[in-house]
Amino acid sequence: PAGLLALDREWPAIAGAVAELRAGGASLRTAVAPQHLAYVIYTSGSTGKPKGAANIHRGFVNLNTWYTDQLNMLEDDRVIVISNLSFDLTQKNLIGPLLVGACLHLVEGYEPTAIRKLIKDRAISWINCAPSSFYGILEEPYDDLHSLRTVVLGGEATQYQKIEKWFNRYREQVKLYNCYGPSEASAVASYHLCTGLQPSLPIGKPVNNTQIYILDRHHRPQPVGVPGELHIGGDGLARGYLNRPELTREKFIPNPFTPGTRLYKSGDLARWLDDGTLEYLGRLDTQIKIRGFRIETGEIEARLNQHPDIRDSVVVAQGEDTDRQLVAFYVARETAADQVVQLAPAALKAHLQETLPAPMLPAAFVSLAAIPLTPNGKVDRRALEHSAVNLASSRAYLAPRTATERQLVAIWAQLLGREPAQIGVNDDFFELGGHSLLATQLVSRIRTQLAVDLPLKTLFEVNTLAGSAEIIQAAKAQHQQSLDVDIEDVEFEEVSL
């Protein structure tokens, strides 16, 4: 296995190893060529095995040249990084500012209030993130965001209605870019400078040294306006998938238009518009995106099917935009024609948590007698996507007992789209359908309605309604105590009238 080197303090050891190799007659390669491997980034795999896109230096340089030159990043820009360091869009957020000498601001965790404050206090001019992350920091009247001059969105489809009010206020000073691109093409393959908003924002035209083709299943170009699979060629293409030669051959095909080169089959459905820009239409397979995370439902199904009490499973997404939720439908091993066996949702979620990150955990688990099939024998995912699912709590119901608990029940009901009577103080916010973006809205409403700044981290640590209420009541009591102390310290002077 490869060792881990700390380059800032292990140069003597490195020099010793180099001397030993040279003494043995080894020829060390010192030059880095464009086709050499730069990094490997793993994405979710449909077979249950994540795939590592092996990207080369040519693509890495091409991406950052586009990012700094064509988007005009300047030395006096102040760039904020709010995306996870393992997210492929983060690489240009880190390298781009360093290449031009701009100022880089890293944020620990995603907390919209803190991010807005940092943007205002540090006069941040540049932000690049997933659309759903940007929605979370848009809070009217948007005064904290007046310093922004460049906003780059990518990683999922941008919903124009979520940013319309903000963009209409700042459109004269802000350049808004809508980007598209998979990890297999160095993260960005096309971009669009938005001059106005429309229900379906284009993903624009190819970035420099990149070609995009919309092809039918026979690899023939589709006319303008006709949907087809989006294929990508050019300098940004990855070498392939690390140690996955068969998958590499399947996805990286010979380019019929430029012999000797390759095209990447994205699995995305798109079409050319009359003005020469591209419109993204969705996925051709079961891959989905939820709040910026690229998820292969097959990977979740593969893990779920490893549970000893499950015979088969299907995972789909239900809901729209940022309210989309993963729902797992399964057939229990002990289920018979006359009796459907229900498994404990908490146990199934715990099983998945051993190997999957939080964004890939279903919000609900539904037991079925059998997985529905289409007339041609395939899984009827459309039927499951439209199947009514009740995100019921697994906790014993206990009615709110205090004014704070009743206020929290009302707030939860609004955010989760439930009746207050359905929510008890023992309930878990995330078990009822809450997610990270809704959690940020919950923090904001608690601040506005209860006058308490509850850290976002606290919601993830103490996610029951009763637990949150206790923390809020304690914060109020501490605040009142400090006010009482301040009043006692005031000296009153007697005045004769």
Side-chain angles (χ1 to χ4, degrees):
L4 181 65
L5 291 176
L7 295 180
D8 59 338
R9 61 178 183 272
E10 295 191 32
W11 283 115
I14 295 171
V18 170
E20 184 178 343
L21 288 169
R22 284 178 172 163
S27 177
L28 302 181
R29 187 177 68 192
T30 56
V32 176
Q35 71 274 15
H36 288 163
L37 186 67
Y39 65 94
V40 176
I41 186 166
Y42 279 83
T43 64
S44 181
S46 59
T47 61
K49 183 178 179 181
K51 50 196 178 186
N55 288 275
I56 60 177
H57 283 273
R58 179 186 293 113
F60 187 71
V61 171
N62 191 68
L63 169 73
N64 284 284
T65 301
W66 161 78
Y67 194 58
T68 56
D69 292 358
Q70 288 190 261
L71 269 57
N72 193 33
M73 181 177 283
L74 304 175
E75 182 180 353
D76 59 358
D77 272 316
R78 305 177 74 85
V79 182
I80 187 173
V81 179
I82 67 173
S83 55
N84 189 290
L85 294 181
S86 63
F87 205 179
D88 59 1
L89 67 76
T90 305
Q91 58 174 295
K92 58 185 179 295
N93 276 345
L94 297 177
I95 302 300
L98 298 179
L99 288 174
V100 301
C103 187
L104 190 62
H105 295 263
L106 300 180
V107 175
E108 183 179 354
Y110 177 78
E111 207 296 302
T113 302
I115 292 171
R116 286 194 299 269
K117 186 176 186 303
L118 182 61
I119 291 174
K120 181 179 180 180
D121 293 346
R122 302 298 176 85
I124 299 297
S125 62
W126 191 294
I127 185 171
N128 174 203
C129 61
S132 53
S133 296
F134 190 61
Y135 305 151
I137 68 173
L138 294 181
E139 187 172 284
E140 294 186 72
Y142 316 121
D143 293 339
D144 295 341
L145 308 179
H146 67 85
S147 61
L148 291 175
R149 78 171 188 90
T150 303
V151 175
V152 185
L153 302 179
E156 64 184 353
T158 301
Q159 304 295 325
Y160 86 103
Q161 66 270 24
K162 302 279 188 180
I163 60 175
E164 185 175 17
K165 287 185 179 180
W166 163 81
F167 185 65
N168 286 337
R169 174 169 176 178
Y170 289 110
R171 64 191 308 156
E172 297 300 325
Q173 71 180 64
V174 173
K175 287 188 175 180
L176 173 65
Y177 294 95
N178 189 41
C179 300
Y180 162 84
S183 300
E184 292 85 349
S186 301
V188 179
S190 70
Y191 72 112
H192 177 70
L193 175 60
C194 302
T195 55
L197 296 181
Q198 55 199 75
S200 178
L201 287 180
I203 56 174
K205 300 180 180 180
V207 302
N208 49 291
N209 304 311
T210 299
Q211 300 84 46
I212 291 182
Y213 303 89
I214 305 300
L215 308 178
D216 65 12
R217 61 178 179 170
H218 301 294
H219 301 151
R220 296 176 300 196
Q222 295 287 64
V224 172
V226 179
E229 184 176 3
L230 190 151
H231 292 64
I232 305 170
D235 288 354
L237 283 199
R239 182 183 290 177
Y241 296 112
L242 186 65
N243 300 324
R244 304 285 297 277
E246 292 183 2
L247 185 60
T248 298
R249 286 193 294 271
E250 176 188 340
K251 290 293 188 178
F252 293 84
I253 64 173
N255 187 343
F257 311 105
T258 308
T261 65
R262 300 173 304 149
L263 292 179
Y264 170 66
K265 292 170 60 69
S266 70
D268 289 321
L269 190 67
R271 64 182 176 183
W272 289 107
L273 300 177
D274 290 336
D275 61 0
T277 60
L278 288 157
E279 181 183 23
Y280 173 81
L281 299 173
R283 288 294 300 172
L284 289 169
D285 53 22
T286 62
Q287 186 186 96
I288 57 176
K289 284 193 175 181
I290 295 183
R291 293 178 288 282
F293 292 95
R294 175 175 161 182
I295 295 171
E296 292 276 9
T297 56
E299 182 173 358
I300 308 172
E301 294 163 2
R303 300 298 185 190
L304 202 53
N305 290 341
Q306 293 173 3
H307 191 284
D309 295 328
I310 287 183
R311 186 189 310 157
D312 196 10
S313 65
V314 177
V315 177
V316 299
Q318 293 190 349
E320 299 293 334
D321 303 335
T322 55
D323 291 327
R324 294 189 86 192
Q325 299 278 9
L326 290 172
V327 178
F329 295 88
Y330 67 90
V331 178
R333 194 167 297 280
E334 299 300 322
T335 284
D338 59 342
Q339 183 180 9
V340 175
V341 174
Q342 306 282 343
L343 302 178
L348 297 179
K349 184 170 287 189
H351 168 75
L352 294 178
Q353 281 176 322
E354 295 177 359
T355 53
L356 298 179
M360 297 181 72
L361 299 179
F365 297 86
V366 181
S367 183
L368 301 175
I371 301 296
L373 302 177
T374 63
N376 60 8
K378 294 184 177 181
V379 173
D380 193 346
R381 292 182 177 273
R382 185 176 295 274
L384 295 176
E385 289 169 357
H386 293 88
S387 176
V389 174
N390 178 27
L391 297 179
S393 173
S394 61
R395 317 293 178 92
Y397 177 79
L398 181 62
R401 301 152 297 186
T402 67
T404 300
E405 288 179 348
R406 286 190 288 273
Q407 287 177 291
L408 280 179
V409 165
I411 295 173
W412 280 32
Q414 292 172 353
L415 291 176
L416 299 172
R418 289 173 169 266
E419 292 296 326
Q422 297 177 317
I423 300 174
V425 299
N426 291 328
D427 285 339
D428 182 316
F429 182 75
F430 300 99
E431 189 177 292
L432 294 182
H435 49 72
S436 57
L437 293 179
L438 276 182
T440 63
Q441 296 181 42
L442 177 57
V443 168
S444 179
R445 296 197 184 190
I446 289 174
R447 183 188 313 110
T448 302
Q449 299 181 31
L450 300 178
V452 171
D453 273 317
L454 189 68
L456 184 61
K457 180 181 178 182
T458 301
L459 285 182
F460 289 93
E461 293 175 346
V462 186
N463 44 33
T464 64
L465 191 143
S468 298
E470 288 180 9
I471 294 173
I472 291 170
Q473 288 172 336
K476 284 185 173 182
Q478 185 177 4
H479 179 65
Q480 184 60 47
Q481 185 178 6
S482 65
L483 288 178
D484 293 341
V485 171
D486 290 342
I487 292 174
E488 290 175 1
D489 290 341
V490 175
E491 295 184 2
F492 291 95
E493 182 178 347
E494 211 175 285
V495 178
S496 299
L497 297 177

